[in-house]
Amino acid sequence: MNFKFPTIISTLAVMLFTNSVSAQEAPKYDYVEAFKPFFYSQTGTETRSASGQPGHAYWQNSADYNLNVSLNDVKNEITGTAEITYTNNSPDKMSFLWLQLDQNLFEKDSRGNALVPLSGSRNGAKGETFDGGYKIKSVKLDGKDVKYTITDTRMQIDLPQELKAKGGVAKIKIEYTFLSPQYGSDRMGVQDTKNGKIFTIAQWYPRMCVYDDVLGWNTMPYLGASEFYLEYGDITANITVPANHYVVASGELLNEKEVYSKEENNRWSQAKNSDKTVMIRPESEIGKNNASGTKTWKFKISQTRDFAWASSPAFILDAAKINLPSGKKSLAISAYPSESAGEKAWGRSTEYTKAAIEHYSGKWYEYTYPAATNVAGNEGGMEYPGIVFCHMDSKGEELWGVTDHEFGHNWFPMIVGSNERLFAWMDEGFNTFINELSTEAFNKGEYYSKKNVAQMGSYIMNDGFEPIMVGPDNMKENSIGVLAYFKPGMGLGILRESILGPEKFDKAFRTYIDRWAFKHPTPWDFFHTMENVSGEELNWFWRGWFINKWKIDQAVKNVKYINADFESGAQITVENIGQLPMPTTIQVKFKDGSDQTIKLPVEIWKRNTEWTFKLNSTKEISEVKIDPKSEIPDVNPKNNSWSSSSADAKAVEKINVKDFTGTYGNKEINLKLTFKEKDNQLFGQAAGQQEFPLEYIGNSTFTFEQAQISLVFSKDKKTMSFTQGGREFKFIKE
């Protein structure tokens, strides 16, 4: 799923209002706590090895589906039959089965609806009033009616006879209908266009809950924020729609000869062998198919955890060949309305899809599905095996970003099947991390800009956020973007670039994917694998970054020449103040313009809170700086450097701080800033946010260095100019 902040609010919220060090000083470092043993609470088992790989007796159950469904495009109604073949490979007998009924989120009295605050939510149906949820017509087991109980988004089927362990098979048939929401929790919906509706259909059939060796039945209700945990199997789907509709779906289209015209089939064949995008159904042909009645589209996908589809008379269709490392081919397909057409918009969708799939296949693990389809709908971005839904208004860099992100999910969690209900960071965070590398690689970095990780320290490690390991249903909704996406993604970047190095990290990460492809890993399986393959102790990192919300704060404490003579070298003392230690990189700049970089391993912090080392040099030092490439988020960058000229800083004119107090507003962005004087220092604050301290540098100018913010007041103090990251906003005193 895609997540993004509103632009101007994100700048202020991320870089300013949560960035005050004085409001959140990092607790003191305790090296015993950071590196204490027994991080892993249990040793290896028969199902999960202590090395991080599946154990010798690992098992998981499977679910195959034969789905028949029809769409009533006037009523927005889905009518379906799901035939499920469920195989119990566990060592346990079963007296009942659990299924997920995720459409029941849209029932009026669902638990998920009860959680929507008055201010609204991205989760749910955005206040739409309709008769949502499944209407179950029948449930049969081995051809006979069976007792079942529905509780919110779960169904429990009582078995007349226990299902045998290690291979017992249950055959379930469920008949149902439901009405599609217009906006289905940003995961599915109905989008009106000038040429007809676009239906993006997901969570549309009853699906088996996972039974595993960790929790047994995983029956957490679907509340909207947390995503899915599903068994693997093979799925066939027969989708009957109005005859003028075109359907795209997970997997391989089996009957293109029946559903496409002769010319469309010729273009389809061309696309399968073309590295350039081929139009299957161009905009000029929309509206020419006025066939009445219905048409059935048939699809199949193997070794999958889910299935989604889309249908519309408004689709432009294009496609191109995907080249895979083994020599196999897949097909990149795009389906979008004429409103989204054009080379600056969805006309490049197939190019983006092809590039993303080829990159991830070469870098991590080969793509396993016969097609990868990008659909323009009303979703911000949502992923399913072999198909994703992205917003029809996306274009340019935004369309690349959401396309790349959603297809990245085909690795996490479509191939590596983690439990999204509990550990959103294992799919969203891992995917955010690989997206950074793919964006750098795409078209020679067309949309890439290197992030200043160091600048994010105070925001990403703010006290207001929960720990990463808290599930998405157990954290504030506005924390999800940080804790499921950005912070774990950043953590993997730090692990790769600053702790393990790209070569060791990539080998370990590929091993994790290979070990757990089409299986169900836990966080501990990931942690074990990364340590065992890299050969490094990383419990301090897992403990601080993922389990807890420890802060990073390293500092240059002092620099002294030996015997007061720079030609004799220098002693440099660094200290670890925050709870989370890190390998420490120090750059020393000399007055002759040269520089030297010193790298200290994390082990210096295993029994020290500060560390002094000798710099062998005969040159006079001008500056000493920690993290010169800005790769580590530090909550207090002010103490990261020492300058020989700091003691000789120029004095600024004296001012009366009270002259700068008051409230200033900007109607364009609907924001007010209030300035107050405390102990002869100016503090700024936005409504409902934390105060932030300001430093006066002269000429009616104040700065907040951590967020690279500058405030310049006019001489009469009636206006104020706010500048951050090259963006300037004018404020007027009220």
Side-chain angles (χ1 to χ4, degrees):
M1 194 168 191
N2 192 42
F3 190 101
K4 62 181 180 180
F5 291 113
T7 53
I8 181 61
I9 298 304
S10 71
T11 298
L12 295 172
V14 174
M15 302 310 301
L16 197 162
F17 300 136
T18 59
N19 226 356
S20 172
V21 174
S22 63
Q24 52 162 338
E25 290 291 344
K28 295 298 183 182
Y29 176 56
D30 181 348
Y31 53 79
V32 173
E33 180 68 18
F35 286 93
K36 67 182 180 183
F38 308 116
F39 170 73
Y40 295 102
S41 58
Q42 65 181 41
T43 57
T45 67
E46 289 187 339
T47 54
R48 295 175 191 269
S49 167
S51 68
Q53 58 189 312
H56 66 88
Y58 177 82
W59 56 266
Q60 67 186 48
N61 295 345
S62 66
D64 299 324
Y65 298 84
N66 183 25
L67 306 172
N68 289 278
V69 63
S70 61
L71 168 67
N72 184 322
D73 65 335
V74 177
K75 296 181 178 180
N76 297 347
E77 184 178 46
I78 303 295
T79 301
T81 301
E83 297 176 2
I84 308 170
T85 301
Y86 180 70
T87 304
N88 175 26
N89 296 313
S90 81
D92 307 322
K93 296 178 181 179
M94 294 181 172
S95 59
F96 55 84
L97 305 175
W98 280 103
L99 289 84
Q100 302 182 40
L101 301 179
D102 290 337
Q103 280 298 320
N104 287 358
L105 171 69
F106 304 111
E107 287 186 330
K108 181 180 178 181
D109 298 326
S110 74
R111 297 184 191 183
N113 267 335
L115 296 179
V116 175
L118 294 176
S119 57
S121 171
R122 130 185 247 189
N123 304 305
K126 283 195 173 179
E128 179 188 357
T129 300
F130 70 111
D131 188 16
Y134 281 111
K135 303 295 184 288
I136 303 297
K137 292 184 177 181
S138 68
V139 179
K140 296 181 183 293
L141 179 72
D142 297 328
K144 298 180 180 179
D145 290 336
V146 66
K147 180 183 177 183
Y148 64 92
T149 305
I150 295 175
T151 306
D152 198 53
T153 59
R154 289 80 45 86
M155 171 193 283
Q156 186 182 50
I157 297 177
D158 292 324
L159 302 179
Q161 294 181 332
E162 284 188 326
L163 184 61
K164 294 180 180 179
K166 298 182 179 180
V169 175
K171 293 190 175 182
I172 307 158
K173 183 177 181 180
I174 303 174
E175 295 179 293
Y176 62 91
T177 64
F178 70 86
L179 297 180
S180 174
Q182 295 286 330
Y183 174 89
S185 203
D186 207 16
R187 305 185 193 282
M188 62 173 295
V190 183
Q191 174 66 50
D192 289 321
T193 77
K194 64 183 180 182
N195 292 310
K197 297 176 182 177
I198 294 176
F199 292 86
T200 44
I201 305 298
Q203 289 80 249
W204 59 281
Y205 58 97
R207 300 176 298 178
M208 297 300 304
C209 292
V210 172
Y211 186 83
D212 62 23
D213 61 308
V214 180
L215 293 174
W217 284 109
N218 287 259
T219 57
M220 288 181 65
Y222 177 42
L223 303 177
S226 62
E227 293 183 308
F228 312 107
Y229 187 35
L230 302 163
E231 296 287 17
Y232 287 96
D234 299 335
I235 298 178
T236 58
N238 301 315
I239 303 169
T240 301
V241 298
N244 67 332
H245 276 225
Y246 285 75
V247 176
V248 289
S250 296
E252 180 182 7
L253 176 63
L254 300 178
N255 64 332
E256 65 265 31
K257 301 296 184 185
E258 299 173 11
V259 293
Y260 283 141
S261 68
K262 181 178 180 180
E263 183 57 35
E264 288 167 344
N265 271 290
N266 290 336
R267 297 166 183 163
W268 187 258
S269 297
Q270 292 173 27
K272 289 181 178 180
N273 296 294
S274 174
D275 285 311
K276 293 185 177 181
T277 301
V278 174
M279 298 303 301
I280 308 299
R281 188 199 189 204
E283 184 176 6
S284 60
E285 295 180 8
I286 292 177
K288 292 185 177 180
N289 176 7
N290 295 314
S292 59
T294 62
K295 185 183 291 186
T296 298
W297 298 64
K298 300 178 181 180
F299 295 88
K300 179 179 180 180
I301 186 169
S302 301
Q303 206 170 26
T304 185
R305 68 200 290 276
D306 203 0
F307 188 103
W309 54 282
S311 180
S312 178
F315 279 151
I316 297 169
L317 294 169
D318 63 45
K321 175 182 63 172
I322 296 173
N323 302 295
L324 300 175
S326 67
K328 294 180 180 179
K329 309 297 179 185
S330 184
L331 191 64
I333 305 168
S334 295
Y336 51 94
S338 59
E339 291 93 327
S340 304
E343 282 304 301
K344 293 184 179 180
W346 277 75
R348 293 187 70 185
S349 167
T350 291
E351 174 195 352
Y352 295 159
T353 300
K354 171 181 168 68
I357 299 294
E358 289 180 350
H359 170 81
Y360 296 130
S361 295
K363 182 71 176 174
W364 304 117
Y365 189 96
E366 184 164 297
Y367 186 68
T368 58
Y369 301 122
T373 304
N374 196 10
V375 182
N378 63 6
E379 299 81 8
M382 187 59 202
E383 69 279 358
Y384 301 96
I387 189 170
V388 303
F389 304 153
C390 300
H391 203 281
M392 62 177 285
D393 293 339
S394 295
K395 59 184 63 176
E397 181 177 359
E398 182 182 5
L399 181 58
W400 158 258
V402 68
T403 300
D404 182 49
H405 179 81
E406 303 312 336
F407 278 117
H409 275 304
N410 269 274
W411 281 261
F412 309 102
M414 306 308 164
I415 291 175
V416 181
S418 57
N419 186 343
E420 298 178 272
R421 286 277 161 91
L422 291 177
F423 308 114
W425 63 272
M426 292 186 74
D427 66 289
E428 298 294 0
F430 286 13
N431 190 25
T432 299
F433 162 71
I434 65 174
N435 296 159
E436 183 78 4
L437 299 178
S438 63
T439 299
E440 183 178 8
F442 173 67
N443 200 21
K444 299 179 180 179
E446 178 180 355
Y447 298 127
Y448 180 72
S449 59
K450 186 174 177 61
K451 293 180 174 59
N452 187 328
V453 175
Q455 199 177 64
M456 298 293 292
S458 290
Y459 175 64
I460 209 80
M461 291 178 278
N462 185 267
D463 287 329
F465 292 124
E466 303 87 350
I468 287 175
M469 286 287 276
V470 170
D473 291 331
N474 194 208
M475 63 178 66
K476 295 188 292 291
E477 188 172 336
N478 61 7
S479 296
I480 293 174
V482 172
L483 299 178
Y485 296 69
F486 303 130
K487 188 174 181 181
M490 180 187 290
L492 292 192
I494 293 168
L495 188 61
R496 183 178 193 263
E497 303 301 330
S498 301
I499 298 174
L500 295 179
E503 184 176 352
K504 291 174 73 172
F505 176 93
D506 290 358
K507 180 180 180 181
F509 202 55
R510 280 193 290 267
T511 301
Y512 166 71
I513 298 171
D514 186 66
R515 285 177 171 180
W516 292 97
F518 308 105
K519 298 181 178 68
H520 297 313
T522 69
W524 312 108
D525 299 317
F526 171 66
F527 296 155
H528 275 304
T529 295
M530 296 302 291
E531 290 194 16
N532 273 255
V533 179
S534 71
E536 299 292 343
E537 176 192 21
L538 298 170
N539 59 16
W540 54 274
F541 184 66
W542 313 133
R543 184 179 283 125
W545 193 266
F546 291 95
I547 307 297
N548 297 295
K549 48 181 183 179
W550 288 356
K551 296 180 175 65
I552 299 170
D553 183 10
Q554 295 189 343
V556 179
K557 188 172 184 179
N558 59 57
V559 178
K560 296 180 180 179
Y561 293 123
I562 297 173
N563 298 325
D565 179 8
F566 65 80
E567 292 187 352
S568 299
Q571 287 186 346
I572 299 175
T573 300
V574 292
E575 57 182 337
N576 198 88
I577 302 170
Q579 299 148 292
L580 180 55
M582 279 285 158
T584 307
T585 300
I586 302 112
Q587 183 186 60
V588 180
K589 291 185 177 180
F590 302 101
K591 289 189 175 180
D592 66 359
S594 62
D595 62 75
Q596 182 177 342
T597 299
I598 300 94
K599 293 190 175 184
L600 303 174
V602 73
E603 282 79 5
I604 65 170
W605 306 119
K606 292 195 77 168
R607 54 188 178 191
N608 303 288
T609 57
E610 63 179 53
W611 184 255
T612 301
F613 65 94
K614 181 182 178 183
L615 178 73
N616 294 315
S617 172
T618 60
K619 301 176 182 179
E620 191 171 3
I621 298 171
S622 62
E623 183 185 36
V624 176
K625 185 177 183 180
I626 289 176
D627 186 30
K629 294 184 179 180
S630 299
E631 295 176 334
I632 303 294
D634 191 302
V635 297
N636 185 11
K638 285 186 176 181
N639 60 17
N640 283 17
S641 61
W642 173 94
S643 174
S644 62
S645 61
S646 59
D648 302 321
K650 294 180 181 180
V652 297
E653 73 273 17
K654 291 185 179 180
I655 60 169
N656 185 348
V657 174
K658 292 182 179 179
D659 291 344
F660 299 86
T661 59
T663 298
Y664 291 72
N666 181 305
K667 293 182 179 180
E668 179 186 353
I669 59 175
N670 192 26
L671 185 67
K672 292 183 180 181
L673 296 174
T674 300
F675 299 95
K676 298 178 181 178
E677 178 266 343
K678 290 184 180 181
D679 298 326
N680 203 33
Q681 184 177 8
L682 194 66
F683 283 78
Q685 185 177 30
Q689 303 291 339
Q690 296 176 346
E691 290 182 338
F692 52 98
L694 292 163
E695 180 181 353
Y696 186 66
I697 62 172
N699 296 323
S700 297
T701 301
F702 291 79
T703 63
F704 184 40
E705 289 185 4
Q706 286 175 260
Q708 296 184 342
I709 288 169
S710 175
L711 306 175
V712 181
F713 291 80
S714 63
K715 288 184 178 180
D716 60 7
K717 312 297 189 294
K718 291 183 179 180
T719 63
M720 180 270 293
S721 176
F722 175 104
T723 304
Q724 195 275 336
R727 304 178 73 184
E728 183 176 349
F729 302 91
K730 297 290 186 181
F731 285 71
I732 300 174
K733 190 171 185 179
E734 298 183 350

